[in-house]
Amino acid sequence: MKTSKHTFFCNNLNDLNLPPDESHHAVGVLRLKSGNHINVTDGKGNFALVKIIEPSKKNLTFEIVEKFQQAKPTTNIHIAIAPTKSNDRIEFFLEKATEIGITEITPILSANSERKKINTERWEKILIAASKQSNNHHFPILNELTKLHDFIKENNSENTQYYIAHCEADKPRTELKDEQITQKNNCILIGPEGDFNLEEINLAITNKFKPVSLGKTRLRTETAGIVACHILNLIS
Amino acid sequence: MKTSKHTFFCNNLNDLNLPPDESHHAVGVLRLKSGNHINVTDGKGNFALVKIIEPSKKNLTFEIVEKFQQAKPTTNIHIAIAPTKSNDRIEFFLEKATEIGITEITPILSANSERKKINTERWEKILIAASKQSNNHHFPILNELTKLHDFIKENNSENTQYYIAHCEADKPRTELKDEQITQKNNCILIGPEGDFNLEEINLAITNKFKPVSLGKTRLRTETAGIVACHILNLIS
């Protein structure tokens, strides 16, 4: 399979051109020229080796050399996480979870949430950049910021195993790493800096979210998200 | 076990005082006062709940209320990693690996290394802060920046299993997650942005470093370090 070291995003490969920001990166930053080969991905599993025809900074055009398809992940990892107070920390989670293989992200608002707004456009850019970097042609789905109560009520599919990771050591929890994954879809709730409160934990458990621990050490929110994603990736 | 939410570092608990930077943080930043309780740890497994006597910004003194000991980790995780070009990235690795449970870190210089110097004092501070945050009273050991060739030659203990994680897909590798951990000590080499070169990989393999892969996706250096630490933590 021939590929280039540079990968660009384009919503539909058959458009035969890159959107303005990707065109600018290719031509304005990387100085790519007519005749150079690049990879183009649609983030939905389709990608192609293409040849640059017109190296325009606003609307790079290309012709397709060879098309490829990447198989969908066999299991889905959906993490619903309270954004951290520090943007750097949650953005690092987004990047690392994407590299590891997350498939869906829902930012959630919980009682102890320190951050109540997110910059969706910036988050999307991070997910796209990390997907390209890790050769993942299925970009993760990013959902809207959702209240925890709504999330719990709306997420009750029979084909999904739901988990809640919390730090209440005196409440019964199993180790996520010891779980037997039987579902194609797995979804886990990760709390904010101050953890979920007891009412939230109980609501989740009543609604079939299985309480789990992510290990013996105390983890920051973004680390818990990375570790949960990695465990689900390893055991599924 | 009674504890406080604030933990401070002190080389020897019996000194009954905090070093200047920790004193400043306790009194100048957190405004702690005489009679307040704090945790003090020596980073070697000993910690105590103490009561502040003299809340000096330069030399806080305390009396010990109760002493504790934290058992040593049963297995050691030593990661030898090429520092990334971006300080943020390698510092994020330091923090996350510490939260997960790394016990020893060696920064290494390899042929493709983009960063050839490190700020040891800053790295130490990150390791201490992350250890305190995650309730780990055994701080990771930080070794000096070492040339890869020297590291490989000097590390040949019979009680350690050595690994090298590299990205040469056409060279035989096993999955680290499928390894059977039999040694108390485990050590893994993580390469720079441009990976190890073939000569380095061959030198490591000749010197009993087992070649491994960390999963199916392409990971950045700092992500590879975090993932390797987490896998060793899970399987050992």
Side-chain angles (χ1 to χ4, degrees), chain A residues 1-233:
Chain A
M1 184 168 82
K2 277 193 289 184
T3 54
S4 146
K5 66 176 177 170
H6 298 298
T7 301
F8 298 88
F9 167 63
C10 160
N11 210 23
N12 185 341
L13 300 186
N14 297 323
D15 288 350
L16 302 180
N17 63 4
L18 294 185
D21 52 342
E22 294 287 276
S23 297
H24 177 264
H25 186 66
V27 183
V29 180
L30 296 171
R31 309 278 169 196
L32 297 177
K33 305 208 179 330
S34 173
N36 284 163
H37 286 77
I38 57 174
N39 303 319
V40 177
T41 178
D42 70 358
K44 297 181 279 282
N46 306 296
F47 62 109
L49 180 71
V50 311
K51 192 165 84 173
I52 298 174
I53 302 295
E54 179 63 43
S56 154
K57 281 188 202 176
K58 289 190 178 159
N59 182 30
L60 179 150
T61 62
F62 56 78
E63 66 176 30
I64 289 174
V65 178
E66 194 172 356
K67 275 194 183 181
F68 307 94
Q69 272 204 319
Q70 189 179 54
K72 266 200 165 186
T74 48
T75 50
N76 291 314
I77 301 174
H78 179 181
I79 298 195
I81 187 167
T84 55
K85 190 174 172 186
S86 145
N87 268 326
D88 282 358
R89 293 188 175 282
I90 197 69
E91 290 178 2
F92 209 88
F93 157 76
L94 295 173
E95 182 179 290
K96 297 309 151 212
T98 303
E99 286 179 58
I100 291 166
I102 200 167
T103 54
E104 188 170 352
I105 298 162
T106 306
I108 50 164
L109 270 176
S110 114
N112 292 327
S113 281
E114 301 229 30
R115 174 169 296 280
K116 301 191 194 316
K117 280 184 185 171
I118 67 159
N119 184 337
T120 307
E121 202 177 324
R122 195 174 151 85
W123 281 36
E124 287 281 9
K125 277 192 183 160
I126 293 166
L127 299 180
I128 292 175
S131 296
K132 292 194 301 189
Q133 198 276 332
S134 56
N135 273 340
N136 176 7
H137 298 286
H138 291 275
F139 297 172
I141 297 162
L142 176 59
N143 300 317
E144 282 182 11
L145 188 65
T146 306
K147 286 182 188 159
L148 180 67
H149 283 61
D150 296 342
F151 186 85
I152 291 174
K153 296 261 161 86
E154 288 160 12
N155 280 272
N156 52 13
S157 160
E158 288 199 352
N159 301 321
T160 304
Q161 174 64 56
Y162 296 98
Y163 299 99
I164 178 169
H166 69 76
C167 311
E168 291 288 333
D170 55 345
K171 286 182 85 82
R173 296 172 298 172
T174 51
E175 290 265 351
L176 181 61
K177 74 179 170 72
D178 298 330
E179 284 292 301
Q180 297 294 327
I181 296 290
T182 53
Q183 296 285 12
K184 180 173 156 46
N185 304 306
N186 291 278
C187 171
I188 186 164
L189 283 168
I190 306 287
E193 278 90 339
D195 202 6
F196 295 116
N197 67 29
L198 280 179
E199 185 262 326
E200 292 173 328
I201 295 171
N202 288 333
L203 180 76
I205 293 172
T206 309
N207 285 275
K208 298 193 180 160
F209 282 69
K210 189 168 184 180
V212 289
S213 153
L214 301 174
K216 291 185 192 104
T217 55
R218 185 167 70 179
L219 304 173
R220 284 179 179 274
T221 293
E222 74 279 7
T223 320
I226 296 168
V227 159
C229 181
H230 189 226
I231 294 175
L232 288 173
N233 181 269

Side-chain angles (χ1 to χ4, degrees), chain B residues 148-165:
Chain B
L148 180 68
H149 283 61
D150 296 341
F151 186 86
I152 290 173
K153 295 263 161 83
E154 287 160 12
N155 280 273
N156 51 14
S157 161
E158 288 199 351
N159 302 319
T160 304
Q161 174 64 56
Y162 297 99
Y163 299 99
I164 178 168

Side-chain angles (χ1 to χ4, degrees), chain A residues 89 92 95-96 99-100 132-135 177 217-220 222-223 226-227 230-231 234, chain B residues 89 92 95-96 99-100 132-135 177 217-220 222-223 226-227 230-231 234:
Chain A
R89 293 188 175 282
F92 209 88
E95 182 179 290
K96 297 309 151 212
E99 286 179 58
I100 291 166
K132 292 194 301 189
Q133 198 276 332
S134 56
N135 273 340
K177 74 179 170 72
T217 55
R218 185 167 70 179
L219 304 173
R220 284 179 179 274
E222 74 279 7
T223 320
I226 296 168
V227 159
H230 189 226
I231 294 175
L234 287 175
Chain B
R89 293 188 176 282
F92 208 89
E95 183 180 289
K96 298 309 154 213
E99 286 179 59
I100 291 166
K132 292 195 300 190
Q133 198 276 333
S134 58
N135 273 339
K177 74 178 170 75
T217 55
R218 184 167 68 177
L219 304 173
R220 285 179 177 274
E222 73 279 8
T223 320
I226 295 168
V227 159
H230 189 225
I231 295 175
L234 287 175

